[in-house]
Amino acid sequence: MSLKVNGERREVNIRTSETLLNVLRNQLGLTGAKPGCLNGDCGACTVHVDGWPMKSCLMLGVEGVDKEITTIEGLENTPIQQAFIEQFAFQCGYCTPGFIMNCQSLIEQHPDASDEMIQEWLESNICRCTGYQEIEQAIKSVLVRKQNSE
Ligand code: FES
Ligand code: FES
């Protein structure tokens, strides 16, 4: 069996009950997606599946076959990563890969997102140590720069 992850086809041996999060971390060594609540609440495990943010703790590995999967390791030098640094949008960083995957998807899918949409979109992720305002600022700074460059 194989999965397409970060543009590369990788051979994996997936047990039927194994989550995508486990496959990514334990078989492919992609440890950027983090185990948090493991029940869909925190978003620390967020990856992209066919461009949409998905909680990889809620998805079976076998469901990833024939899909395009992107993890934080596959996002290289995206403006949102730099914006998180500029806006001090993290502290311990445990939630950060999940937030960045979610934010990147918002930027791609809704480049004209309103404040309400940004807030709603961020509700799927939980950070226990920093303010959400900085994360919102990071998204907005990327959206503004994107709109100005078009
Ligand atoms: S670990 Fe997947 S949502 Fe919390
Ligand atoms: S920065 Fe620590 S959990 Fe979000």
Side-chain angles (χ1 to χ4, degrees):
M1 197 175 282
S2 70
L3 289 181
K4 192 163 181 206
V5 184
N6 299 332
E8 264 180 61
R9 197 149 277 290
R10 308 273 308 263
E11 291 302 316
V12 280
N13 189 3
I14 309 176
R15 284 177 285 124
T16 42
S17 61
E18 196 170 15
T19 62
L20 179 61
L21 177 64
N22 268 1
V23 175
L24 293 171
R25 290 179 59 85
N26 301 338
Q27 290 200 43
L28 299 179
L30 296 169
T31 55
K34 302 288 185 226
C37 64
L38 298 180
N39 62 16
D41 288 330
C42 75
C45 63
T46 304
V47 298
H48 290 178
V49 177
D50 288 341
W52 290 93
M54 292 292 295
K55 291 172 177 170
S56 60
C57 72
L58 292 185
M59 191 171 160
L60 293 173
V62 289
E63 293 178 291
V65 173
D66 296 330
K67 305 269 192 322
E68 294 274 343
I69 299 163
T70 308
T71 67
I72 190 74
E73 290 88 350
L75 287 195
E76 277 184 29
N77 300 320
T78 53
I80 190 65
Q81 289 170 303
Q82 186 60 32
F84 262 61
I85 296 168
E86 287 165 5
Q87 302 292 333
F88 303 103
F90 56 89
Q91 287 183 33
C92 80
Y94 196 83
C95 69
T96 308
F99 265 102
I100 287 182
M101 295 309 289
N102 197 22
C103 295
Q104 177 65 17
S105 191
L106 171 70
I107 290 162
E108 286 170 11
Q109 307 289 346
H110 298 286
D112 52 358
S114 63
D115 288 3
E116 291 70 34
M117 180 180 268
I118 293 171
Q119 280 161 11
E120 202 180 307
W121 199 274
L122 290 180
E123 279 172 11
S124 67
N125 292 60
I126 294 174
C127 174
R128 66 187 172 183
C129 53
T130 193
Y132 290 74
Q133 230 176 349
E134 290 84 354
I135 297 172
E136 273 182 55
Q137 284 308 328
I139 297 180
K140 285 183 196 170
S141 69
V142 174
L143 292 179
V144 167
R145 262 181 262 161
K146 204 172 153 89
Q147 283 155 7
N148 289 344
S149 69
E150 281 166 4

